[in-house]
Amino acid sequence: MRDFIITTDSNADLPADFIKEHQLTIIPQYYAFGDVVYGDERNLTPEEFYTMMEKGDLPTSMANNPAVIRDKFEKILQEDKDILHIAFSSTLSGSYNNVVMIAKELMEEYKDSTISVVDTLNVSLGEAFFVMEAIDRKKSNQTMDQIKLWLENNRQNSHVEFTVDDVNHLYRGGRISKTTSIVLGIVNIKPLLYLTPEGKLASKGTIRGRKRSLSALVKNMGDHITSETRCKRVGIVHAKAIEDAQFVASLVAETYPDAEVIINDISPSIGTHAGPGAIGICYLVLPEESM
């Protein structure tokens, strides 16, 4: 049986030390300020990126680069290893389709190789938790096919919810109307958004005040976690809002003390649409027997 390598993309927002520890191959997602494109050799730290946004610079995001995908995948195939790629939601980017296209081309060239691509229908640490599960299951000697099947069967058990501090970025990204953005800004009402089972962004309503919106992220976890289910990891992601992220993490620790809490930055290609101050919560809810 051939060995296989687990890969993913930078939109998974995996902590840098985790990537290094597991020597993960990461397909970069790109973003730009004007004509300057970032995401691979040239990059900005999250702090630099969000500071530029605060100063009024407006970035754009773009899909991954097929040439870069081919290069990274081919290096793995040349080592006689297969690939299990865990991808960003296909409904939010063309990146998934780019990976599938290159995978098909490479399997025609490397006849004995397999590249399996999993559409997580997820973003940020919601996507990352599937990578972590895949790594855990590989260590337990599960095959690539077994892991892929588990990932696809459990996509609907992932939950991602977030709120933003400045609704104008949602307007720029086409998520809300200009009138709505003006009204929300005036009355200090914060939107709550979530990722649907189909991997699309949708509104969960609004709430007045920043602190109340952050508390609601944790309160809403109770809609999915029951006495018969558990989540072993909870992710808190933020866009230059570490103190708010720590506040949310403290609420999670009080309510779900058995869960591992991970805090990380929202990557620029996602943060382009959320803006500075965005806070998200991500968690995978599983039946007890699946833990």
Side-chain angles (χ1 to χ4, degrees), residues 23-56:
Q23 298 182 319
L24 285 171
T25 294
I26 305 294
I27 304 298
Q29 301 285 142
Y30 298 93
Y31 55 99
F33 283 102
D35 296 329
V36 182
V37 177
Y38 300 88
D40 205 344
E41 288 83 7
R42 175 188 286 160
N43 235 314
L44 294 171
T45 66
E47 177 82 12
E48 292 170 332
F49 174 80
Y50 292 114
T51 296
M52 290 178 69
M53 290 189 75
E54 287 172 338
K55 291 179 179 178

Side-chain angles (χ1 to χ4, degrees), residues 10-15 46 50 122-129 132 159-164 210 214 217 234-249 252 261-267 270-271 274-283:
S10 58
N11 277 352
D13 291 344
L14 281 161
Y50 292 114
N122 242 280
V123 302
S124 191
L125 286 178
E127 177 186 351
F129 289 161
M132 294 178 180
H159 303 279
V160 175
E161 188 171 331
F162 69 98
T163 186
V164 301
R210 174 69 165 178
L214 299 178
L217 295 177
V234 178
I236 314 296
V237 289
H238 69 96
K240 200 181 175 186
I242 184 60
E243 291 183 0
D244 285 341
Q246 290 170 339
F247 169 72
V248 174
V252 171
V261 179
I262 299 171
I263 299 176
N264 203 18
D265 300 290
I266 299 175
S267 57
I270 296 177
I279 294 284
I281 192 165
C282 316
Y283 50 101

Side-chain angles (χ1 to χ4, degrees), residues 1 20 76 90 102 134 137-138 143 147 230 261 265 279:
M1 183 181 300
K20 182 177 180 180
I76 295 171
S90 63
I102 295 302
R137 290 171 187 278
K138 184 183 179 186
T143 67
I147 296 172
R230 292 288 183 273
V261 179
D265 300 290
I279 294 284

Side-chain angles (χ1 to χ4, degrees), residues 15 23 33 45 52 58 105 117 126 130 134 142 146 149 170 187 198 223 226 235 244 246 282:
Q23 298 182 319
F33 283 102
T45 66
M52 290 178 69
L58 300 179
E105 291 177 2
V117 184
F130 285 112
Q142 291 190 16
Q146 287 174 324
L149 180 62
L170 292 176
V187 297
E198 297 75 32
D223 295 340
T226 70
D244 285 341
Q246 290 170 339
C282 316

Side-chain angles (χ1 to χ4, degrees), residues 23-268:
Q23 298 182 319
L24 285 171
T25 294
I26 305 294
I27 304 298
Q29 301 285 142
Y30 298 93
Y31 55 99
F33 283 102
D35 296 329
V36 182
V37 177
Y38 300 88
D40 205 344
E41 288 83 7
R42 175 188 286 160
N43 235 314
L44 294 171
T45 66
E47 177 82 12
E48 292 170 332
F49 174 80
Y50 292 114
T51 296
M52 290 178 69
M53 290 189 75
E54 287 172 338
K55 291 179 179 178
D57 292 333
L58 300 179
T60 56
S61 63
M62 56 199 74
N64 48 29
N65 185 331
V68 173
I69 301 168
R70 168 176 280 273
D71 178 65
K72 290 182 179 288
F73 279 5
E74 197 159 20
K75 288 177 181 177
I76 295 171
L77 298 181
Q78 288 171 351
E79 296 176 355
D80 293 324
K81 295 179 180 179
D82 293 329
I83 298 169
L84 175 62
H85 182 77
I86 299 174
F88 182 66
S89 176
S90 63
T91 61
L92 297 176
S93 169
S95 295
Y96 169 80
N97 291 331
N98 286 346
V99 173
V100 170
M101 175 186 69
I102 295 302
K104 289 180 179 178
E105 291 177 2
L106 286 172
M107 284 191 291
E108 290 178 0
E109 299 173 27
Y110 294 80
K111 301 294 186 182
D112 295 329
S113 299
T114 299
I115 303 175
S116 291
V117 184
V118 177
D119 180 2
T120 64
L121 300 176
N122 242 280
V123 302
S124 191
L125 286 178
E127 177 186 351
F129 289 161
F130 285 112
V131 177
M132 294 178 180
E133 284 287 342
I135 290 172
D136 289 346
R137 290 171 187 278
K138 184 183 179 186
K139 289 178 180 178
S140 299
N141 295 318
Q142 291 190 16
T143 67
M144 187 166 74
D145 287 343
Q146 287 174 324
I147 296 172
K148 181 183 180 183
L149 180 62
W150 187 92
L151 295 174
E152 291 176 339
N153 285 343
N154 283 279
R155 286 182 294 202
Q156 311 307 313
N157 293 325
S158 177
H159 303 279
V160 175
E161 188 171 331
F162 69 98
T163 186
V164 301
D165 198 35
D166 185 348
V167 296
N168 285 316
H169 298 292
L170 292 176
Y171 163 64
R172 280 202 314 115
R175 304 302 178 189
I176 60 176
S177 69
K178 184 175 183 178
T179 300
T180 300
S181 70
I182 292 173
V183 171
L184 291 179
I186 291 175
V187 297
N188 193 30
I189 291 179
K190 305 300 182 183
L192 295 176
L193 298 103
Y194 72 103
L195 207 64
T196 69
E198 297 75 32
K200 299 179 180 179
L201 291 179
S203 172
K204 201 167 188 176
T206 57
I207 194 164
R208 186 182 296 275
R210 174 69 165 178
K211 284 294 185 182
R212 291 184 65 192
S213 70
L214 299 178
S215 298
L217 295 177
V218 181
K219 180 181 178 182
N220 291 344
M221 292 177 67
D223 295 340
H224 307 288
I225 301 174
T226 70
S227 60
E228 298 178 351
T229 60
R230 292 288 183 273
C231 61
K232 62 182 179 183
R233 300 182 181 104
V234 178
I236 314 296
V237 289
H238 69 96
K240 200 181 175 186
I242 184 60
E243 291 183 0
D244 285 341
Q246 290 170 339
F247 169 72
V248 174
S250 69
L251 296 181
V252 171
E254 290 175 8
T255 312
Y256 304 101
D258 294 333
E260 175 190 3
V261 179
I262 299 171
I263 299 176
N264 203 18
D265 300 290
I266 299 175
S267 57

